[in-house]
Amino acid sequence: MQLRYAFRLYPDAAQQAALARAFGCARVVFNDAVRAREDAREAGQPFPTAGQLSRKLITEAKRTKERSWLGEVSAVVLQQSLRDAETAYRNFFASLKGTRKGRKLGSPRFKSRKDTRQSIRFTANARWSITGSGRLSLPKIGAVKVKWSRTLPATPTSVTVVKDAAGRFFASFVLDTDPDADAARMPETDRTIGIDLGLTHFAVLSDGTKIDSPRFLRRAEKKLRKAQKELSRKQKGSKNRVKARLKVARAHAKVADARREFHHQLSTKLICENQGIAVEDLSVAGLARTRLAKSVHDAGWALFVSMLEYKAERYGRTLVKIGRFTPTSQTCHACGAVDGPKPLSVREWTCAACGAVHDRDINAAINMKTAAGLAVSACGAPVRPGAIPAQREETGSHGFPTEPRVA
């Protein structure tokens, strides 16, 4: 299983200039590849192959006066930029044919030097390394200082250097892990749980536990509003506007980081303590078109569920998604009678069939656990459906023991 580990980088002034050159060269090669493909399409000719693009846009371009500066960066960075263009076109055509799941993708667009996110990728043949002092040595850039927040469990296969909208630099390592070893690290348990996600409480568990919603965006709205007003008053093109834009970006980054950390800690805790987890398959895109849109985005349900998915896959747990049209809030978990829809203002109701009094959210969580087949069977053994596929990336794994950092 492939995972991704991100760490903060602190390049000095010279290294930042070298990274800026690498970002620019990778962007130019990507745009040249898109232009070559578009010219071939307009002329009715077949698309140039990856080998032809590499020879024309990199090897031969370095010998020209207009593109001689491409030789100032690692050739691997330029080759990976061409590979990104190939992947973008491959996904676009797969989306047109309907073989790619998800929303429809448009054709690849040109990258801009004003894009808030810049990135370059180094593979193993780029001869990058982690020095004995813990620095990341990159070709034609130098040894960059890294803030190691945790250790790497295996040797990385590639590293991507990213500059985000807030001007921060990150090193994102991709590595292969052993699922059997990961599953062996988890404590044995036969507990199962159902989770009802909401806005008043971020999550309500079937055992009665209620987890309050942190509402990171709502709490930071006053500061964000002030920073955005300051940005709107700055003259376009001025240095003060650049500073104000960075201030706004850093404020948003702080909110996103806090939300992601909360999701990681909660998802890791649930995975550690439960063998089976049931959660509702919410239509976040649909809910984001309602008057509750800001609160829905602030909760970040989709990110939380995706974390549960890949962590369940990695550590041998079971995650089951319940259909969004299952009447979990209308069904009495004691007798199974369906009592009909109720407005959101009704948080507690009494079953007309058996007279049981239910908390709306706890009752829904219990029904999710039952509908997923995670409830205890008649013989006392928990029912465990098969595991579902998980996404192949991870931005944090807090709370798990790891091996010493790989150098």
Side-chain angles (χ1 to χ4, degrees):
M1 183 177 183
Q2 284 190 332
L3 297 178
R4 186 177 294 275
Y5 285 75
F7 301 90
R8 183 76 181 270
L9 292 180
Y10 294 92
D12 56 30
Q15 292 168 349
Q16 290 186 26
L19 287 171
R21 286 195 298 270
F23 293 146
C25 292
R27 181 178 64 250
V28 167
V29 171
F30 182 92
N31 291 343
D32 288 346
V34 174
R35 172 52 60 195
R37 289 251 178 154
E38 291 300 314
D39 291 343
R41 181 185 63 82
E42 293 175 359
Q45 299 175 355
F47 280 168
T49 62
Q52 293 172 343
L53 290 175
S54 177
R55 182 172 59 255
K56 178 181 178 182
L57 302 181
I58 298 178
T59 306
E60 296 178 359
K62 288 181 180 179
R63 301 170 186 165
T64 63
K65 184 178 180 180
E66 294 79 8
R67 292 284 192 270
S68 59
W69 35 264
L70 290 177
E72 298 178 3
V73 302
S74 173
V76 174
V77 170
L78 307 181
Q79 293 290 348
Q80 293 302 310
S81 185
L82 282 182
R83 179 167 294 185
D84 290 341
E86 289 289 325
T87 302
Y89 273 102
R90 192 181 307 115
N91 292 337
F92 168 58
F93 291 131
S95 181
L96 286 180
K97 296 177 182 177
T99 57
R100 186 181 188 276
K101 296 181 180 180
R103 61 182 179 85
K104 293 294 183 180
L105 296 180
S107 59
R109 297 179 295 180
F110 295 110
K111 293 184 177 180
S112 171
R113 62 187 302 178
K114 296 182 181 180
D115 289 343
T116 57
R117 186 183 185 275
Q118 305 281 347
S119 65
I120 53 175
R121 185 167 61 253
F122 297 89
T123 55
N125 57 353
R127 298 180 181 178
W128 61 271
S129 62
I130 301 175
T131 64
S133 59
R135 288 177 174 258
L136 177 61
S137 180
L138 300 173
K140 297 190 178 183
I141 293 175
V144 185
K145 181 181 177 181
V146 185
K147 179 64 175 180
W148 297 103
S149 57
R150 57 190 181 277
T151 55
L152 294 174
T155 303
T157 58
S158 68
V159 58
T160 302
V161 180
V162 180
K163 182 182 179 183
D164 66 0
R168 303 177 300 177
F169 292 87
F170 294 91
S172 180
F173 297 93
V174 175
L175 49 87
D176 296 314
T177 60
D178 184 5
D180 296 332
D182 291 334
R185 291 160 51 196
M186 299 300 293
E188 292 291 337
T189 180
D190 57 356
R191 288 186 55 189
T192 57
I193 202 78
I195 306 175
D196 180 62
L197 299 176
L199 296 178
T200 304
H201 294 91
F202 177 79
V204 177
L205 309 184
S206 56
D207 60 3
T209 304
K210 293 186 177 182
I211 301 169
D212 291 333
S213 180
R215 300 182 180 181
F216 296 105
L217 181 62
R218 294 290 187 180
R219 291 191 299 177
E221 273 187 328
K222 185 176 180 180
K223 183 177 180 180
L224 288 170
R225 188 183 302 113
K226 181 180 178 181
Q228 189 64 48
K229 285 183 178 180
E230 292 178 357
L231 174 62
S232 65
R233 296 190 185 104
K234 306 302 180 184
Q235 183 178 359
K236 292 186 178 181
S238 65
K239 292 184 178 180
N240 285 336
R241 184 176 178 85
V242 175
K243 296 177 183 178
R245 188 201 65 78
L246 282 176
K247 187 176 180 180
V248 173
R250 287 167 185 157
H252 279 288
K254 186 176 181 179
V255 172
D257 290 344
R259 183 188 298 115
R260 190 181 303 109
E261 180 70 11
F262 168 74
H263 288 162
H264 271 301
Q265 291 183 359
L266 179 57
S267 59
T268 297
K269 182 176 183 294
L270 293 174
I271 290 293
C272 285
E273 297 176 351
N274 301 278
Q275 176 63 37
I277 300 176
V279 65
E280 187 178 4
D281 184 19
L282 296 172
S283 176
V284 178
L287 292 171
R289 291 193 292 266
T290 66
R291 60 185 178 86
L292 301 175
K294 183 180 289 188
S295 298
V296 169
H297 287 305
D298 191 12
W301 295 328
L303 178 62
F304 175 71
V305 173
S306 68
M307 288 182 182
L308 287 176
E309 286 181 356
Y310 78 78
K311 290 181 182 181
E313 171 77 7
R314 181 182 182 186
Y315 297 106
R317 304 307 202 197
T318 300
L319 178 70
V320 180
K321 288 186 177 181
I322 305 302
R324 64 193 62 164
F325 299 109
T326 304
T328 55
S329 298
Q330 307 173 20
T331 306
C332 172
H333 74 267
C335 64
V338 179
D339 207 16
K342 303 168 186 62
L344 291 176
S345 59
V346 177
R347 309 313 302 173
E348 191 174 280
W349 57 281
T350 303
C351 178
C354 65
V357 180
H358 299 299
D359 180 282
R360 181 191 184 104
D361 298 328
I362 297 178
N363 177 72
I366 296 175
N367 286 330
M368 288 182 195
K369 177 180 174 180
T370 304
L374 299 178
V376 177
S377 61
C379 61
V383 180
R384 299 180 183 177
I388 63 174
Q391 68 180 28
R392 300 172 66 85
E393 62 178 337
E394 179 181 22
T395 56
S397 57
H398 307 280
F400 295 135
T402 55
E403 300 297 328
R405 183 176 75 247
V406 178

